[in-house]
Amino acid sequence: MSVGVLFTQGLVTGDPHQVLGEILEQAEAADRLGFSAALTTEHKYSEEYFGSPLHLAYAIAARTQRVKVGTAIAIAPLYSPVVLAQDAAMLDQLSGGRAWLGLGVGYLPVDYETAGVGWDDRAQRFDETLRILRTAWRQERFSFADEIYRFDDVSVIPKPYQDGGVPLHLAAWTPGGLRRAGRLGDGWITNALMSLETMTAMAGQYRAAAVAEGREPHVTSIRFCWPYTSREAALDAFGDTALAMARTLFDYGAITDLPGVTSSADITLEEFVKDRFVFGTPQECVETIGRFRDEAGVDDFLMIFRYPTGPDHAAVLEAMELFGTEVLPALEPTVAAV
């Protein structure tokens, strides 16, 4: 089991030049502290997220030595498949084989409207894109024809540094998406705020689909994270911003497993700390991670320390330092004993 970092910041975080520089500093900290990955995400039309995740991943790759670099997630249907294959291969070469590509269909029509891509055929477009990526990386030249895309005798140059291509991990939270992850992906990525109960059920569906396709299942869980030594200070730094982000994602339609909640105003921090956030003292964080590992079978984690509206950069670096020095080392003997 490994633990990486996922960056979810945008215009509302502050001046973009400054915030992007802070992301690079956080990526360098992740590399130094022993985190396994420093990944980016996107929406194409949102002040809460930047919209060019691979470009940012190139910069992270140039500033780091060990961590995996890439996306969790990029909205794959919004890209030309051959261009996406080239860009990901270039990232893999630049990083010396550290590229890791998390892809999803997306859930906001405005992303598609902004990119000028049709919404209704997104699932077919996603399916074809995944097959094209695999083929482009493994064959010197290839042709492809299906409902959406047609390519005749083309080549992706350069090929990825990693034999067989860049790993593809697929985000999903519908039955069809979970089956697709099992059929076409190297792993499944949860969303950031599904409950442990929901994750456990979906992980079971995904694993069954992967095994049926002869694939080794792999579950990556995205979690909001805040370790602390003072609960009062943690609530002050983390509580309001995390609750605001949870409410925003509920309004976006990204949280669907809150029975009885009809308005984002009904959401409380206590609800999310209970079985959705990794929040607490270092030992409590270790115990929470262990519950997700043991009950949902999570293989890897991606932690979000900073949301679009906070906490501030200095507090994030402090939280990452605490996690890296007190949580990560405590996970190692626990994992070795399993």
Side-chain angles (χ1 to χ4, degrees):
M1 185 181 72
S2 63
V3 180
V5 180
L6 177 61
F7 302 114
T8 59
Q9 295 153 54
L11 292 181
V12 300
T13 312
D15 173 75
H17 178 73
Q18 178 178 333
V19 172
L20 289 167
E22 290 171 352
I23 289 174
L24 295 179
E25 287 186 46
Q26 291 164 27
E28 290 176 324
D31 202 46
R32 172 178 57 83
L33 290 166
F35 288 91
S36 63
L39 304 180
T40 62
T41 190
E42 72 169 330
H43 282 294
K44 291 300 186 190
Y45 186 77
S46 170
E47 292 188 348
E48 281 118 4
Y49 299 87
F50 292 121
S52 301
L54 281 170
H55 296 80
L56 182 53
Y58 294 149
I60 292 172
R63 295 275 288 264
T64 57
Q65 299 295 320
R66 290 185 314 101
V67 288
K68 294 175 184 176
V69 292
T71 62
I73 56 114
I75 305 171
L78 304 186
Y79 296 83
S80 159
V82 169
V83 173
L84 181 59
Q86 289 175 328
D87 289 348
M90 182 64 77
L91 177 64
D92 204 39
Q93 288 289 346
L94 177 68
S95 65
R98 292 186 283 134
W100 193 97
L101 209 57
L103 300 175
V105 178
Y107 56 89
L108 292 178
V110 69
D111 285 324
Y112 283 75
E113 294 164 6
T114 301
V117 176
W119 171 258
D120 291 340
D121 60 5
R122 62 193 183 281
Q124 179 67 22
R125 195 177 291 271
F126 187 49
D127 188 285
E128 292 183 29
T129 295
L130 296 171
R131 290 186 282 129
I132 291 166
L133 292 175
R134 300 275 195 204
T135 303
W137 291 333
R138 293 173 179 174
Q139 296 184 17
E140 189 58 37
R141 305 193 67 83
F142 73 97
S143 297
F144 180 91
D146 206 327
E147 294 180 23
I148 307 293
Y149 298 109
R150 182 177 297 272
F151 299 99
D152 184 32
D153 192 31
V154 298
S155 181
V156 164
I157 301 172
K159 302 299 183 195
Y161 186 95
Q162 298 175 74
D163 291 339
V166 178
L168 298 177
H169 295 253
L170 308 185
W173 62 75
T174 66
L178 293 167
R179 289 193 297 271
R180 185 187 299 111
R183 177 168 55 90
L184 294 174
D186 296 307
W188 169 56
I189 306 172
T190 77
N191 76 15
L193 288 172
M194 62 174 56
S195 68
L196 175 55
E197 181 181 4
T198 298
M199 187 188 302
T200 300
M202 288 190 177
Q205 296 174 54
Y206 155 70
R207 286 195 189 89
V211 170
E213 295 290 336
R215 290 185 171 277
E216 183 71 25
H218 191 99
V219 175
T220 299
S221 176
I222 300 175
R223 295 288 93 179
F224 286 16
C225 179
W226 200 258
Y228 62 73
T229 54
S230 164
R231 185 176 180 86
E232 181 179 358
L235 289 171
D236 183 55
F238 168 91
D240 288 345
T241 58
L243 184 57
M245 192 63 198
R247 288 172 172 169
T248 295
L249 290 172
F250 180 87
D251 289 336
Y252 280 174
I255 307 173
T256 58
D257 59 346
L258 280 170
V261 174
T262 58
S263 167
S264 59
D266 298 333
I267 296 174
T268 65
L269 184 63
E270 289 72 21
E271 170 71 31
F272 282 84
V273 167
K274 184 171 61 177
D275 73 342
R276 297 170 196 258
F277 291 160
V278 176
F279 177 81
T281 65
Q283 183 55 40
E284 287 170 338
C285 289
V286 170
E287 292 168 0
T288 299
I289 290 169
R291 283 199 298 125
F292 278 93
R293 180 200 62 217
D294 295 341
E295 296 184 30
V298 174
D299 297 291
D300 296 308
F301 289 85
L302 295 172
M303 300 302 188
I304 301 173
F305 290 93
R306 192 185 202 186
Y307 326 107
T309 54
D312 66 74
H313 178 55
V316 169
L317 289 177
E318 185 177 343
M320 290 177 65
E321 188 84 26
L322 179 61
F323 194 100
T325 56
E326 297 197 27
V327 179
L328 287 181
L331 292 173
E332 294 172 3
T334 305
V335 174
V338 173

